[in-house]
Amino acid sequence: MMASVRWFVGSILLCGAFPALIHAQTTKVSGVVTDATTGETLPFVNIAFVDSRIGTTTDILGQYGIDTYYATDSIRVSSVGYVSRALPVRKDKAQVINIALAPSKVQLTEVVIKPSDENPAFAILRRVVQNKPVNNREKLEAYEYDAYNKIEFDLNNITEEFTQKKLFKPFAFIFDNIDSTDAKPYLPIFMTESISEVYYRQKPKAQREYIRGTKVSGIENESVSQFMGDMYQNVNIYDNYLVVFGKNFISPIADGGRAFYDYFLTDSNFVGNHWCYKLEFKPKRPQELAFKGEMWINDTTYAVHRIEAGIAEGANLNFVQGFWVKQQYDLVADEVWMLTRDELVVDLNVIKDTGERNKNAVQGFYGRRTATYRDFVINQLKDDAFYAGVDQVVVEIDPLSLGADYWDTQRHEQLSAKELAIYEMVDTMKTIPRFRTYVDIVSTIVTGYYERGKVELGPYFTTVSFNPVEGMRLRLGGRTSNSFSTWVEFEGYSAYGFLDERFKFGLATRGFISKEPRLLYRASYKHDVEQLGQSVNAFRNDNLLGSVFRRNPNTKLTDVEEWNVSLEREWFAGFTNEVMVRYRTLQALGELAYEKVVFDEVPRLTTVGSIRTAELSLNTRFAYREKYVSGEFDRVSVGFNKFPTLELHLAYGAPDILESDYEYTKVVGRIYKRWQLGAVGWTRTTVEGGRIYGTLPYPLLIIHSGNETFYLDDAAFNTMNFFEFISDRYVQVTAEHHFEGLFLNRIPLMRRLKWREVATFKAVAGDLDGKHGQELLLLEDMYSLYNGPFMEASAGVENILKVLRFDVIWRLRYNDHANTAPFALRAKLFFNF
């Protein structure tokens, strides 16, 4: 019971802990020490901060001065023959404290020494935590340094049987590079290097990295160059939790670390020129996202001098057999400890070897990162103009870096013979046709497209599908590849439905007007069948899986003819505008109908054949300090961004343009945020709201996203039907929390499964003005949110067999609607560490 209480309290401490808002400053204390009776100055008096090794002595004139980051709240003054005194100190301030000492009468008393019941490691740990703000490099007014990063990937567990497989016969030469000195023989297959300059300023906070050189085997891409720099890769041990593989690992020097770790004081010795204590640590419980290892702590500043740690056996992680980190911190200036070397090794397992002699062998990869830092400059500010701008990582490649001589002189450490061979080996492999074939197969599975020279065919999962309106549908499509151009792309497809006996097709192009700054145009035309009210994350309407895993027949479709032209401009990293012009013609299909009441002499019901709109829109997206990797046209956001993502959509419907029918204004805003919550997991939240001004038929209003498949859709209401709720104004909230095995890891029988808990809540409140009924009547089973918000909640388990997630969803409101159920079971594939 007490262990559970300690764990709970530690969780609260970690979740509530946050970096100090006021960075540590030096405390300056000076003055004169005198005899309280005679007024004479006293030389050689000891003055030290209480509970600290920081101190000094007065000079021959009785004067003293201390300037330190490591101040406590008081100083103690002592000298032989005088009564010692303790005086308060204002931390992070400059102050003069003159001290008068009274003579003492010498009297010897009994001294009793008793052993302490406390773990001796705890006293050291307390001081480490207490001094974290001043040992963290962000205490400094400014700093700069040169960084060298080297990242290598190796294929490991290379057995003789593996090298003899028929699959690898064309690449037999690469196995000459196997290194068998490790516990798992490995083959280096990829390496990249970067050299950069890093700059930091505390107030106002600014950080900038200039990539001066990159050298990559097999990949040439500027965004990869950014990603290989120091800012994208660095982990700060002084943070309470460290995000590794997207998981919150508790730092061994976290504020509440004693709730998660056992600590042992095992040695004290010189490390270099510094006397240090050796603390060993391990997780209190199996499956905990914590480390096992050792660290050496300086005895004066209580700064981490060296740390070696790895993920403990049994940690709730997928595909990771091992993770080891080794960091070296050195004193680069007076009372300034900085990271000077950072080594990391990850052992990722992929597949088991099915050979007779190696049934237990696991084929995988080593990922290795070595970073070194040197040429530190401390507390020397540059002009404000130097820190201006919002791009944290700037690629300014030195032209000399294209030559081998540059790397020979600029590398912080020279490459080994094996590392030098990687570049030649990878370049040779790229020329082998069989290797290109294997790459094409993997690329097709991942992207959905098969590349044939200057053309990519696909996506393959849309080739065959079916629905009640089209019957069986065949589709053929393709697009130009990067071999055709990295500046412009063309795309097209054609489809045929055997029931409606109609051809559908689409054409599109996009291309760069400028890559720096990013200025991208798009233009498209299509005439096809669509499902309105479907979320952006849902299966495409022509996806085979969407056809198979349905809970209701797909009968509410719309024939859409659309022209679209847009221009996207990125003003700086993370801030983008897009201007779009769109013309659409909509016609009802299946069970949908466009019907309205016409008031002649006698009111009568009439059918509207089509709806036409001409729309001009402005889309804005702002993701401050977002990290991403770019392809030639698309980008993928990577890593955790502590800032929210903001999106705003403004649209104006213009009447009487090419016979467009309606005038309206539409405003939609969205805020997305992921919250890292340390030991209790992570949460993602979305708040969205919108309003439409004008009088419109229901297909042009806000159709809340439903889901009529058994596949879990994160962006939709999974117990809501298509077209079930329609609004002209709304507010929507989504919150999803991933506990990362917080509870199941503590159940012995469940621990080995590595299942993880997840909980979700979604709600939408809205309204619908009755005037819209003048344009089109709502059909049966179409509703406004007339009786308050729609809500659903779910509890689920993810990481089943490492890839599956199952949620039980509870529909909390509007359970009297047709074709609905109060409870539902949904599943999805979810690949995650």
Side-chain angles (χ1 to χ4, degrees), residues 48 59 71 100 136 141 152 155 234 256 337 356 365 384 390 407 488 507 556 575 643 708-709 714 795:
D59 62 16
N136 194 336
E141 187 178 14
E152 175 185 329
L155 185 65
N234 213 320
W337 292 84
E356 288 298 321
F365 293 89
D384 290 342
V390 295
W407 292 95
V488 64
L507 298 171
K556 301 174 184 176
F575 184 70
F643 300 99
E708 294 190 359
T709 71
D714 295 334

Side-chain angles (χ1 to χ4, degrees), residues 467-751:
N467 60 69
V469 174
E470 297 178 278
M472 178 176 286
R473 170 185 166 116
L474 297 181
R475 182 188 186 279
L476 293 176
R479 63 188 183 189
T480 56
S481 69
N482 293 339
S483 299
F484 173 80
S485 174
T486 59
W487 280 82
V488 64
E489 177 186 84
F490 297 97
E491 183 175 5
Y493 74 91
S494 181
Y496 181 77
F498 286 87
L499 182 60
D500 65 356
E501 299 181 340
R502 290 180 52 220
F503 280 98
K504 298 89 180 175
F505 67 96
L507 298 171
T509 181
R510 60 177 174 172
F512 286 100
I513 299 173
S514 166
K515 290 191 175 183
E516 188 57 44
R518 182 181 173 92
L519 186 59
L520 182 71
Y521 71 84
R522 296 182 179 88
S524 65
Y525 170 81
K526 72 174 180 179
H527 194 173
D528 206 343
V529 174
E530 284 190 16
Q531 175 66 68
L532 301 185
Q534 187 169 253
S535 83
V536 294
N537 286 352
F539 282 133
R540 293 171 48 145
N541 191 54
D542 54 3
N543 189 312
L544 178 61
L545 295 178
S547 301
V548 173
F549 296 106
R550 297 195 61 84
R551 61 182 178 86
N552 286 330
N554 194 9
T555 57
K556 301 174 184 176
L557 299 175
T558 302
D559 180 272
V560 178
E561 183 179 15
E562 178 178 305
W563 299 83
N564 194 317
V565 178
S566 68
L567 183 65
E568 177 187 305
R569 171 68 150 85
E570 182 180 58
W571 301 98
F572 53 82
F575 184 70
T576 304
N577 283 133
E578 181 183 36
V579 177
M580 179 186 298
V581 177
R582 182 174 69 169
Y583 183 85
R584 290 200 303 169
T585 302
L586 309 180
Q587 293 179 300
L589 297 175
E591 294 181 358
L592 286 186
Y594 296 166
E595 297 178 336
K596 66 183 298 184
V597 176
V598 177
F599 293 92
D600 295 332
E601 295 180 359
V602 178
R604 60 184 177 85
L605 194 65
T606 184
T607 299
V608 177
S610 64
I611 298 171
R612 291 177 293 274
T613 63
E615 183 178 280
L616 173 66
S617 63
L618 172 64
N619 300 313
T620 301
R621 184 178 185 274
F622 181 46
Y624 185 56
R625 295 186 178 178
E626 181 180 40
K627 299 175 182 178
Y628 55 82
V629 173
S630 291
E632 295 302 335
F633 295 95
D634 297 311
R635 291 177 168 181
V636 177
S637 181
V638 296
F640 160 64
N641 188 1
K642 64 180 180 180
F643 300 99
T645 298
L646 310 177
E647 296 176 359
L648 179 64
H649 171 73
L650 304 174
Y652 172 71
D656 304 323
I657 296 179
L658 298 177
E659 300 183 344
S660 60
D661 300 318
Y662 298 99
E663 181 177 17
Y664 59 90
T665 302
K666 184 176 183 180
V667 181
V668 176
R670 180 176 181 266
I671 303 175
Y672 167 83
K673 178 76 170 71
R674 173 167 168 155
W675 310 81
Q676 297 291 139
L677 301 177
V680 296
W682 60 274
T683 297
R684 59 183 175 193
T685 57
T686 304
V687 179
E688 181 179 316
R691 177 74 185 264
I692 290 180
Y693 299 90
T695 303
L696 298 176
Y698 70 81
L700 302 183
L701 296 171
I702 296 163
I703 304 169
H704 297 294
S705 298
N707 179 18
E708 294 190 359
T709 71
F710 292 105
Y711 194 84
L712 182 68
D713 186 346
D714 295 334
F717 291 93
N718 289 282
T719 57
M720 183 188 293
N721 294 326
F722 290 135
F723 286 97
E724 184 176 355
F725 290 101
I726 297 174
S727 301
D728 59 14
R729 73 209 81 167
Y730 75 105
V731 175
Q732 181 174 313
V733 176
T734 301
E736 182 176 86
H737 183 72
H738 296 253
F739 292 92
E740 301 287 20
L742 182 68
F743 304 109
L744 295 179
N745 284 348
R746 286 159 179 78
I747 303 175
L749 295 179
M750 303 293 293
R751 186 179 296 152

Side-chain angles (χ1 to χ4, degrees), residues 270-510:
F270 277 103
V271 179
N273 296 324
H274 303 282
W275 186 262
C276 295
Y277 303 114
K278 180 182 178 182
L279 296 186
E280 297 185 12
F281 50 88
K282 66 176 184 179
K284 280 184 175 294
R285 291 164 292 276
Q287 254 73 27
E288 199 97 86
L289 293 181
F291 299 99
K292 179 181 180 181
E294 63 183 43
M295 53 187 169
W296 289 86
I297 307 297
N298 177 246
D299 74 325
T300 303
T301 63
Y302 293 93
V304 175
H305 190 13
R306 181 186 300 166
I307 184 169
E308 298 182 28
I311 294 176
E313 185 178 357
N316 194 339
L317 275 177
N318 296 327
F319 314 116
V320 180
Q321 285 206 320
F323 175 92
W324 303 271
V325 62
K326 181 178 179 180
Q327 292 187 330
Q328 174 81 25
Y329 294 80
D330 288 311
L331 201 62
V332 299
D334 188 30
E335 295 190 342
V336 177
W337 292 84
M338 296 289 282
L339 180 65
T340 57
R341 186 176 184 84
D342 190 3
E343 300 178 45
L344 183 148
V345 178
V346 182
D347 184 1
L348 299 174
N349 64 312
V350 182
I351 55 174
K352 282 194 174 183
D353 193 325
T354 56
E356 288 298 321
R357 289 177 293 174
N358 301 285
K359 287 187 176 180
N360 294 322
V362 178
Q363 233 62 68
F365 293 89
Y366 283 137
R368 305 174 188 267
R369 174 181 181 259
T370 301
T372 56
Y373 312 99
R374 68 185 187 188
D375 299 335
F376 292 90
V377 178
I378 305 299
N379 290 338
Q380 294 187 19
L381 284 168
K382 295 184 176 296
D383 294 337
D384 290 342
F386 180 85
Y387 302 101
V390 295
D391 291 331
Q392 282 194 300
V393 180
V394 180
V395 179
E396 289 188 356
I397 301 298
D398 186 336
L400 297 177
S401 69
L402 302 177
D405 292 343
Y406 174 90
W407 292 95
D408 291 339
T409 58
Q410 296 299 316
R411 284 188 184 102
H412 292 190
E413 55 186 34
Q414 294 304 308
L415 300 181
S416 67
K418 290 287 185 182
E419 290 171 333
L420 288 169
I422 294 176
Y423 290 113
E424 180 181 357
M425 183 185 69
V426 172
D427 291 340
T428 304
M429 287 179 62
K430 287 163 58 179
T431 65
I432 301 176
R434 184 70 64 86
F435 176 77
R436 185 68 250 177
T437 300
Y438 295 157
V439 171
D440 288 343
I441 293 173
V442 174
S443 177
T444 300
I445 294 172
V446 173
T447 66
Y449 287 87
Y450 177 64
E451 183 177 348
R452 293 289 295 174
K454 296 182 178 182
V455 177
E456 296 179 352
L457 304 177
Y460 62 83
F461 49 78
T462 65
T463 304
V464 179
S465 60
F466 53 88
N467 60 69
V469 174
E470 297 178 278
M472 178 176 286
R473 170 185 166 116
L474 297 181
R475 182 188 186 279
L476 293 176
R479 63 188 183 189
T480 56
S481 69
N482 293 339
S483 299
F484 173 80
S485 174
T486 59
W487 280 82
V488 64
E489 177 186 84
F490 297 97
E491 183 175 5
Y493 74 91
S494 181
Y496 181 77
F498 286 87
L499 182 60
D500 65 356
E501 299 181 340
R502 290 180 52 220
F503 280 98
K504 298 89 180 175
F505 67 96
L507 298 171
T509 181
R510 60 177 174 172

Side-chain angles (χ1 to χ4, degrees), residues 35-37 42 45 78-84 101-107:
D35 187 304
T37 303
L42 298 178
V45 176
S78 62
S79 182
V80 176
Y82 289 88
V83 178
S84 298
L101 294 182
S104 65
K105 296 180 180 179
V106 178
Q107 182 178 358

